[in-house]
Amino acid sequence: MPVYHAPTKDMLFVLDEVLKTAEAGIEGYEDLDRETLQAILDEAGKLAENVLAPLNKVGDEQGCSLENGVVRTPEGFREAFDQMRDGGWTALDCDPEYGGQGLPYLVSTAVGEMFSSANMAFNMYPGLTHGAYNAIHAHGSAEQKATYLPKMVTCEWGGTMNLTEPHCGTDLGLIRTKAEPQDDGSYKITGNKIWISAGEHDMCDNIIHLVLAKIPGGPDGIKGISLFIVPKFLVNEDGSLGERNALSCGGLEEKMGIHGNATCVMNYDGAKGFLIGEMHKGMRAMFTMMNEARLGVGLQGYAQGEVAYQNALGFARDRLQGRDVTGVKNPEGPADPIIVHPDVRRNLMHQKSFVEGARAFTFWGASMIDRAHRNEDAAAEGLISLLTPVIKGFLTDKGFDTAVLAQQTLGGSGFTREWGLEQFVRDARITMIYEGTNGIQSLDLVGRKLGQDGGKHVMAFFDMVKDFIKETKGQDEAFDRDFLDPLKLASKDLQQAGMYFMQNGMKNPNNALSGSYDFMHLFGHVCLGLMWAKMGLAAKAAIEGGASDDFYAAKLATGRYYMARQLPATAMHLKRIESGAETVMELDAANF
Amino acid sequence: MPVYHAPTKDMLFVLDEVLKTAEAGIEGYEDLDRETLQAILDEAGKLAENVLAPLNKVGDEQGCSLENGVVRTPEGFREAFDQMRDGGWTALDCDPEYGGQGLPYLVSTAVGEMFSSANMAFNMYPGLTHGAYNAIHAHGSAEQKATYLPKMVTCEWGGTMNLTEPHCGTDLGLIRTKAEPQDDGSYKITGNKIWISAGEHDMCDNIIHLVLAKIPGGPDGIKGISLFIVPKFLVNEDGSLGERNALSCGGLEEKMGIHGNATCVMNYDGAKGFLIGEMHKGMRAMFTMMNEARLGVGLQGYAQGEVAYQNALGFARDRLQGRDVTGVKNPEGPADPIIVHPDVRRNLMHQKSFVEGARAFTFWGASMIDRAHRNEDAAAEGLISLLTPVIKGFLTDKGFDTAVLAQQTLGGSGFTREWGLEQFVRDARITMIYEGTNGIQSLDLVGRKLGQDGGKHVMAFFDMVKDFIKETKGQDEAFDRDFLDPLKLASKDLQQAGMYFMQNGMKNPNNALSGSYDFMHLFGHVCLGLMWAKMGLAAKAAIEGGASDDFYAAKLATGRYYMARQLPATAMHLKRIESGAETVMELDAANF
């Protein structure tokens, strides 16, 4: 049976010592001192460890079932959801006007990592609700907000996002779901949606569906899409639940993982819907909260890596096989624990250095979102928009890889259900696909974000790296050699790749597009390199300040591993990018 | 529902045009002309496509069940096994003295790829039997061979390998299963074995277990291990089945994939066993056939990549989403097929260039095994021993990665059970673990094979690459630039890595061991680079010879992709290796 330990100490290090929350100058961060953060994270950790984690395997094994239109979630999910609601965990960063606690997004990000590591399938129910809350909060009328938000803050009512149809996922311009205007100002929604996470279940009194549909007569393609609120139960004027709307769950998807989450086919049979935001501006409304939603998926990716790593580490410390070639380490035992073996350590260090770097990157990204929203800081908004596809694409690819590496640490046991590692791999796999496949992320990065506002944001990123190196360099030779020099090299590779796109993408866009995926990974490595340099600096400061905790020395060692053994990937990605489109585009489709 | 098409054409290209079987000068290859090969592969392909592939999903969904000691395999498996037996497919490369067809191992390798792609879990039943056949054939007494082999050639009787126990897998010196000598010359076998593939099932009349056990009083550790034949039913002198032996299946493992194969807990409760080979030399006997067994697993790895790629390609040609940025390709349709998009192509080319390279490498390896055995060629034996861990480790890691990439091509559909891609991923995952984890392969490569016979074999490998480049260079500028120059660079990286180990491994073995995994991958890339250069040359020759088939131009284009976009990984692996052991070994186990 796998275990989960909330990594509170590492989170506090990132929040308090690297991001220095309380002094960061972001509105609402003043109160985020170490004690406050610790109190919140300790409580969240208890829920994650004691309530959510034990249900992870149950959810995987039982899955959800559909009978007569009713979806049953796995045993214990409902009670766990009640505990989550009662503890106020669904309301953390919601608007106090609707019953939220008004905490920064950063705090809910840290808590969200714990909940996702502990039970990703479960945490999608409040996660989707929060996404729908965000969209209504940003685009709903005052009346719509008053009607729906208070109950969604508490998760008494759930929420969903309905985009995909059987014939279209990425290319939403092709959707066929119809919204016909009615005399009372509402719309009649008719169509089929698939892959609707949490589309129907037994844990909420009502479910508020956000549905993309086309109003007949509107423009073709994505310019003719509008967004609608389509509640499972219509809401009476007094806020009580009224009649059942004409929508139903037509089936549950059988899938590789996240079995505890109901992935529904949703049928809208002339259901009553309410336009949210402007007519034909549905895509914009749906994607307003994109940065948060995609950061949330990047988080899920590395969060599965984290819990997988924890279990690999436990196994490597316990399992006795073979002897250390440089001298027996466990003379009383029949063999040494496998963590003595260099290749097992290489594997563990790879996992650890990724996960800790990813956490810092994600928390930093969440603080940028807070800075953008709370301080209305356009530069922060630009930077996080640029990096959102990197967070989503890179952290989910590597999060999955990390879970696979962790599984490998266990050898044959990693392949068995019993040890649970294989579930982390199966669950992590979806993060590379949903909320825009990672291929789409890379196109968003190279095709849209890179050139946005004249390339201002990517320039700001390079300046940030350059300034950091300039400010830090020359104080400590070893730190310069181990951290700053590799970071500089990697950043140069990234710049050169960007330059290649500028020089060759004009001639032929395929030169840029066929390098986009490698560019996303190259970018991700530079970001994690920067984070590791920042963390290394904070750890060094703590040690120089007299801290005796081994934690800081371990942090520096892990950072050195990242710089020495993960960053060399940047040169490979650059070389692939510079090989251009020719080998990618040459074959006719028929000759593959 | 996934499909499988036997890649007969590509196999014939490798066999007839690259390896030039009929003229290779290997005993028994004289008859392997194109027509003969085609006839065999066409028939094998039919069985794979029409009988085995349709059962792949059935096997995954139904799995095996254990009731009262009897294991039931999925519906249709038994009938399919009968067809396989009746067609003589289990006897291909077996000794004619015992009813085999005496064909080269290479032929059974090509056929094995088809069967593995079509249904890996199923093909493990004859596969394991073949492994046990090999061990008895190599080490059994004349009487043992006469008793067991004829029925194992036909797979009327199955076979298994019993190594692992709950407390030991890799470190077999720790095994506790006991073999007590009896007055009649037999042994009484007592112990528990786990993860025994095909340990018990309903498709064979008898199952011949090969069991590692310790004879009391023997040396400690692996030097005290002997190998025993322990049949499920004892065999009477007239060859008929006698009494049930005291062994049973105590449970089935629940696992991530290969559900159609029964992974058994085997209990030996004083079962009658017969020593095979010499006392205390069981490890040697078990591992005689290691090269073949590990090549077989490498094959399974890329074979899952192959079938996954086929299905990704089919999807990419059919699925309409978005438009080609350089101009609409399917003006009559609502969108273009996604194969027009550069990032989708990059993904497909990555899959294709790996799988075809892996096939050539594996077939070449199988021909080396034939050369070693049939021509008693020590150089070939040395070379294939060196490369066996590369074939196993690199091809299974990349085969799994390929299945994951293929799954990604399908977007959300890749995550559903319906499309079957997720099964290929789950099934492929085991190949990185069993028959020695890939970490163990890398240690075998760096710790044993590299220095074997004074480094003679690795020198022979480098000479082979150098000679090939020397013989080929200067005839065609484009070929030199696209194929030979990258191969030379990659080979140089490999040599430099070997040099690093020699110079630093002496001082501290951890410098070599913590680079072993990267070395295995670096080596794998050089091998596939060599294979692509050979295939490129053969394709060029065909085109120059007037062949008009697009196949050859596609082969060259795919090779160029490999050289431009996969080979750049070698420099990354070298850099990681040269960073040494320090960052890997620094942390105390407690500080991870």
Side-chain angles (χ1 to χ4, degrees):
Chain A
M1 185 80 172
V3 294
Y4 174 65
H5 302 294
T8 311
K9 188 173 182 174
D10 196 55
M11 288 186 174
L12 285 173
F13 168 72
V14 174
L15 295 170
D16 187 50
E17 298 175 60
V18 181
L19 299 179
K20 298 189 171 67
T21 36
E23 302 112 65
I26 299 171
E27 217 173 292
Y29 274 37
E30 313 78 31
D31 303 330
L32 296 185
D33 55 54
R34 195 172 183 109
E35 288 64 39
T36 306
L37 289 165
Q38 171 122 35
I40 297 171
L41 295 179
D42 279 348
E43 284 308 307
K46 278 184 214 163
L47 185 68
E49 292 175 359
N50 304 329
V51 179
L52 303 186
L55 290 175
N56 195 40
K57 204 169 202 284
V58 176
D60 185 58
E61 285 171 358
Q62 293 186 4
C64 296
S65 61
L66 172 67
E67 216 173 306
N68 300 324
V70 178
V71 172
R72 304 231 169 277
T73 51
E75 267 172 60
F77 269 40
R78 213 187 148 95
E79 293 74 17
F81 210 159
D82 285 338
Q83 285 195 55
M84 185 178 261
R85 275 189 276 253
D86 293 347
W89 296 107
T90 63
L92 276 187
D93 65 337
C94 292
D95 188 342
E97 199 179 328
Y98 304 103
Q101 300 182 33
L103 283 166
Y105 176 58
L106 175 61
V107 174
S108 78
T109 298
V111 170
E113 185 205 301
M114 291 182 180
F115 293 170
S116 271
S117 283
N119 197 327
M120 177 168 148
F122 176 89
N123 201 45
M124 288 172 65
Y125 293 100
L128 267 296
T129 304
H130 197 265
Y133 158 90
N134 274 335
I136 297 174
H137 190 265
H139 299 284
S141 65
E143 195 196 326
Q144 287 171 335
K145 291 197 220 183
T147 304
Y148 300 106
L149 294 188
K151 298 283 191 183
M152 294 177 79
V153 165
T154 58
C155 278
E156 284 165 274
W157 297 356
T160 72
M161 302 283 199
N162 290 239
L163 289 78
T164 306
E165 300 183 6
H167 64 289
C168 69
T170 297
D171 190 354
L172 288 169
L174 303 174
I175 67 170
R176 293 178 191 146
T177 297
K178 221 173 29 185
E180 296 162 296
Q182 304 297 300
D183 293 341
D184 64 357
S186 73
Y187 290 79
K188 199 170 145 188
I189 312 288
T190 310
N192 299 302
K193 295 286 181 177
I194 61 169
W195 302 344
I196 308 310
S197 300
E200 174 58 39
H201 59 85
D202 57 358
M203 300 193 290
C204 294
D205 299 334
N206 197 6
I207 299 176
I208 311 305
H209 301 286
L210 295 187
V211 181
L212 288 184
K214 285 186 172 175
I215 300 170
D220 279 345
I222 58 162
K223 287 177 185 155
I225 295 178
S226 305
L227 183 61
F228 299 87
I229 295 176
V230 191
K232 176 176 167 184
F233 291 100
L234 295 168
V235 182
N236 297 322
E237 284 199 13
D238 65 355
S240 65
L241 294 185
E243 61 175 316
R244 183 73 146 86
N245 209 346
L247 62 91
S248 60
C249 171
L252 292 178
E253 208 70 55
E254 287 192 70
K255 52 201 195 296
M256 185 185 196
I258 50 166
H259 294 156
N261 199 276
T263 307
C264 302
V265 175
M266 294 301 298
N267 299 325
Y268 294 90
D269 304 309
K272 198 185 259 294
F274 309 97
L275 181 69
I276 169 168
E278 286 176 65
M279 194 182 281
H280 309 321
K281 297 281 159 75
M283 290 299 287
R284 211 171 61 182
M286 196 63 142
F287 286 130
T288 309
M289 308 322 285
M290 179 92 91
N291 289 344
E292 278 192 35
R294 291 188 166 173
L295 184 139
V297 175
L299 177 149
Q300 288 181 325
Y302 84 77
Q304 288 304 293
E306 161 72 28
V307 65
Y309 163 67
Q310 289 187 13
N311 285 279
L313 177 59
F315 186 91
R317 282 174 174 153
D318 289 345
R319 176 79 171 172
L320 306 178
Q321 295 285 282
R323 292 294 187 186
D324 187 332
V325 290
T326 63
V328 170
K329 287 287 184 300
N330 177 34
E332 280 85 45
D336 289 339
I338 62 171
I339 199 169
V340 305
H341 303 307
D343 188 63
V344 172
R345 291 181 148 258
R346 172 201 58 78
N347 187 349
L348 290 170
M349 288 301 294
H350 221 75
Q351 298 167 45
K352 179 177 169 67
S353 64
F354 164 71
V355 169
E356 292 178 8
R359 174 177 298 127
F361 185 31
T362 304
F363 286 13
W364 173 85
S367 79
M368 282 299 117
I369 290 179
D370 280 328
R371 191 181 290 278
H373 293 175
R374 292 172 168 250
N375 295 15
E376 294 186 6
D377 182 328
E381 174 72 33
L383 200 54
I384 192 60
S385 289
L386 170 74
L387 293 176
T388 292
V390 179
I391 291 175
K392 198 283 183 180
F394 182 69
L395 299 192
T396 59
D397 275 0
K398 295 290 178 183
F400 173 75
D401 289 348
T402 300
V404 172
L405 289 176
Q407 186 184 21
Q408 192 71 12
T409 307
L410 277 77
S413 300
F415 198 66
T416 64
R417 288 256 172 96
E418 187 188 348
W419 285 85
L421 274 289
E422 62 93 33
Q423 186 192 344
F424 301 137
V425 171
R426 289 186 289 101
D427 286 355
R429 185 65 184 86
I430 189 60
T431 64
M432 297 151 74
I433 296 172
Y434 63 18
E435 203 59 39
T437 65
N438 287 356
I440 291 297
Q441 301 302 322
S442 77
L443 299 187
D444 179 43
L445 175 64
V446 169
R448 290 199 332 123
K449 301 297 177 62
L450 212 51
Q452 214 166 39
D453 298 326
K456 194 164 104 182
H457 311 304
V458 72
M459 290 305 166
F461 176 83
F462 286 126
D463 284 344
M464 182 173 70
V465 175
K466 212 165 56 187
D467 291 348
F468 173 80
I469 293 174
K470 210 164 100 184
E471 284 161 24
T472 316
K473 209 170 164 77
Q475 297 161 37
D476 180 333
E477 207 178 308
F479 189 81
D480 290 358
R481 180 195 62 220
D482 295 341
F483 287 86
L484 299 182
D485 295 347
L487 174 60
K488 197 172 166 182
L489 265 177
S491 176
K492 237 179 81 186
D493 286 342
L494 183 64
Q495 280 179 283
Q496 197 172 322
M499 200 65 78
Y500 175 85
F501 289 157
M502 277 174 57
Q503 288 167 349
N504 299 278
M506 294 293 184
K507 278 184 286 186
N508 178 358
N510 289 339
N511 279 324
L513 297 177
S514 57
S516 60
Y517 211 92
D518 281 287
F519 189 77
M520 179 172 76
H521 274 252
L522 207 177
F523 215 144
H525 277 298
V526 174
C527 291
L528 260 61
L530 175 64
M531 291 301 139
W532 269 115
K534 283 174 183 275
M535 288 195 283
L537 201 65
K540 211 162 70 78
I543 292 169
E544 285 161 6
S548 61
D549 193 333
D550 283 346
F551 174 87
Y552 295 107
K555 193 53 90 174
L556 275 163
T558 308
R560 278 195 290 270
Y561 179 94
Y562 195 91
M563 297 320 227
R565 290 199 168 236
Q566 302 243 41
L567 267 195
T570 60
M572 174 185 73
H573 291 300
L574 174 62
K575 214 166 167 196
R576 285 181 183 165
I577 289 166
E578 290 184 334
S579 76
E582 203 191 310
T583 62
V584 174
M585 303 307 296
E586 193 170 346
L587 282 190
D588 274 350
N591 291 337
F592 267 80
Chain B
M1 184 81 172
V3 295
Y4 174 66
H5 304 292
T8 310
K9 188 172 183 176
D10 196 56
M11 287 186 175
L12 285 173
F13 169 71
V14 174
L15 295 169
D16 187 50
E17 298 175 62
V18 181
L19 300 178
K20 298 188 170 70
T21 36
E23 303 112 63
I26 299 171
E27 215 171 293
Y29 274 38
E30 312 79 29
D31 304 329
L32 297 185
D33 54 55
R34 196 173 182 107
E35 288 64 38
T36 306
L37 289 165
Q38 171 123 34
I40 298 171
L41 295 180
D42 280 348
E43 285 307 307
K46 279 183 214 162
L47 186 68
E49 291 175 359
N50 304 330
V51 179
L52 303 186
L55 290 174
N56 195 40
K57 205 170 202 284
V58 177
D60 185 58
E61 284 171 359
Q62 294 187 4
C64 298
S65 61
L66 171 68
E67 215 174 305
N68 301 323
V70 177
V71 171
R72 303 231 170 278
T73 50
E75 267 172 61
F77 269 41
R78 212 188 150 94
E79 294 73 17
F81 210 159
D82 285 339
Q83 285 195 54
M84 186 179 263
R85 276 188 275 253
D86 294 346
W89 297 108
T90 64
L92 277 186
D93 65 336
C94 292
D95 188 342
E97 199 179 328
Y98 303 104
Q101 299 181 35
L103 283 165
Y105 175 60
L106 176 61
V107 175
S108 77
T109 298
V111 170
E113 186 204 301
M114 291 180 179
F115 293 171
S116 272
S117 283
N119 197 328
M120 176 168 149
F122 176 90
N123 201 44
M124 289 172 65
Y125 293 100
L128 268 296
T129 304
H130 197 265
Y133 158 91
N134 274 336
I136 297 174
H137 191 266
H139 299 285
S141 66
E143 197 196 326
Q144 287 172 334
K145 292 197 219 183
T147 304
Y148 300 106
L149 294 189
K151 298 282 192 184
M152 294 177 79
V153 165
T154 57
C155 278
E156 285 166 274
W157 297 356
T160 72
M161 303 283 199
N162 290 239
L163 289 79
T164 306
E165 300 182 7
H167 63 291
C168 69
T170 298
D171 191 353
L172 288 168
L174 303 175
I175 67 168
R176 293 177 192 147
T177 298
K178 221 171 35 183
E180 296 162 297
Q182 304 298 299
D183 292 343
D184 64 357
S186 73
Y187 290 79
K188 199 170 144 187
I189 312 288
T190 311
N192 299 301
K193 297 285 181 178
I194 61 168
W195 302 342
I196 309 309
S197 299
E200 174 58 37
H201 59 86
D202 56 358
M203 300 193 290
C204 294
D205 300 335
N206 197 6
I207 298 177
I208 312 305
H209 300 286
L210 295 186
V211 181
L212 288 183
K214 285 186 171 174
I215 300 170
D220 280 344
I222 59 162
K223 286 176 186 154
I225 295 177
S226 305
L227 183 63
F228 299 88
I229 296 176
V230 191
K232 175 176 166 183
F233 290 101
L234 295 168
V235 181
N236 297 323
E237 285 199 12
D238 65 358
S240 65
L241 295 185
E243 61 176 316
R244 184 73 147 87
N245 209 345
L247 62 91
S248 60
C249 170
L252 292 178
E253 208 71 54
E254 286 191 71
K255 52 202 194 297
M256 185 183 196
I258 50 165
H259 295 154
N261 198 276
T263 307
C264 301
V265 174
M266 293 301 299
N267 300 324
Y268 294 90
D269 304 309
K272 198 185 259 292
F274 309 98
L275 182 69
I276 171 168
E278 284 177 66
M279 192 182 280
H280 308 321
K281 299 279 159 78
M283 290 299 286
R284 211 170 62 184
M286 195 61 141
F287 286 130
T288 311
M289 307 323 284
M290 179 92 89
N291 288 345
E292 278 193 36
R294 291 188 166 174
L295 184 138
V297 176
L299 177 148
Q300 289 181 325
Y302 84 76
Q304 288 303 294
E306 161 72 27
V307 66
Y309 163 66
Q310 289 187 13
N311 285 279
L313 177 59
F315 186 91
R317 282 175 175 154
D318 290 346
R319 175 79 170 171
L320 306 178
Q321 295 285 282
R323 292 294 187 186
D324 188 332
V325 289
T326 62
V328 170
K329 288 287 185 300
N330 177 34
E332 280 85 45
D336 289 340
I338 62 170
I339 200 169
V340 304
H341 302 308
D343 188 63
V344 172
R345 291 181 148 258
R346 172 202 57 80
N347 187 349
L348 290 170
M349 288 301 293
H350 221 75
Q351 298 167 44
K352 179 177 170 68
S353 64
F354 164 71
V355 168
E356 293 178 9
R359 174 177 298 127
F361 185 31
T362 303
F363 286 13
W364 173 84
S367 79
M368 283 297 119
I369 290 180
D370 280 329
R371 191 181 289 279
H373 293 175
R374 291 170 169 252
N375 294 17
E376 295 186 6
D377 182 328
E381 172 72 34
L383 200 54
I384 192 60
S385 289
L386 170 74
L387 293 176
T388 292
V390 180
I391 291 174
K392 198 281 183 183
F394 182 70
L395 298 192
T396 58
D397 275 358
K398 294 290 178 184
F400 173 75
D401 288 348
T402 299
V404 172
L405 288 176
Q407 186 185 21
Q408 192 71 11
T409 307
L410 278 78
S413 300
F415 197 66
T416 64
R417 288 257 173 95
E418 187 188 348
W419 285 84
L421 273 289
E422 62 93 33
Q423 185 191 344
F424 301 137
V425 171
R426 287 186 290 102
D427 286 355
R429 185 63 185 88
I430 188 60
T431 65
M432 297 151 74
I433 296 171
Y434 64 17
E435 203 60 38
T437 64
N438 287 356
I440 291 297
Q441 302 300 324
S442 76
L443 299 187
D444 179 43
L445 175 64
V446 170
R448 290 199 331 123
K449 301 296 177 61
L450 211 52
Q452 213 167 37
D453 300 325
K456 196 163 101 182
H457 310 304
V458 72
M459 291 303 166
F461 177 82
F462 285 126
D463 284 345
M464 183 172 69
V465 175
K466 212 165 55 188
D467 292 348
F468 173 79
I469 293 175
K470 210 164 100 185
E471 284 160 23
T472 315
K473 211 172 162 74
Q475 296 162 38
D476 180 333
E477 207 178 308
F479 190 82
D480 291 357
R481 181 196 62 219
D482 295 341
F483 287 86
L484 300 182
D485 295 349
L487 174 60
K488 197 172 165 182
L489 265 178
S491 175
K492 238 178 80 183
D493 285 342
L494 182 63
Q495 279 179 283
Q496 196 172 325
M499 200 65 79
Y500 175 85
F501 288 158
M502 277 174 56
Q503 288 167 348
N504 299 278
M506 294 292 184
K507 278 184 287 187
N508 178 358
N510 289 339
N511 278 324
L513 297 177
S514 56
S516 60
Y517 211 92
D518 280 287
F519 190 77
M520 179 172 77
H521 274 251
L522 207 177
F523 216 146
H525 276 298
V526 174
C527 291
L528 260 61
L530 175 65
M531 291 301 141
W532 269 115
K534 282 174 184 276
M535 288 196 283
L537 201 65
K540 211 162 71 77
I543 291 169
E544 285 161 6
S548 62
D549 193 334
D550 283 346
F551 174 87
Y552 296 107
K555 193 54 91 174
L556 276 164
T558 309
R560 278 195 290 269
Y561 180 94
Y562 195 91
M563 297 319 224
R565 289 196 168 240
Q566 302 243 41
L567 267 195
T570 61
M572 174 186 72
H573 291 300
L574 174 61
K575 213 166 167 196
R576 285 181 182 164
I577 289 166
E578 290 185 334
S579 76
E582 204 191 309
T583 61
V584 174
M585 304 307 296
E586 194 172 345
L587 282 192
D588 274 351
N591 292 336
F592 266 79

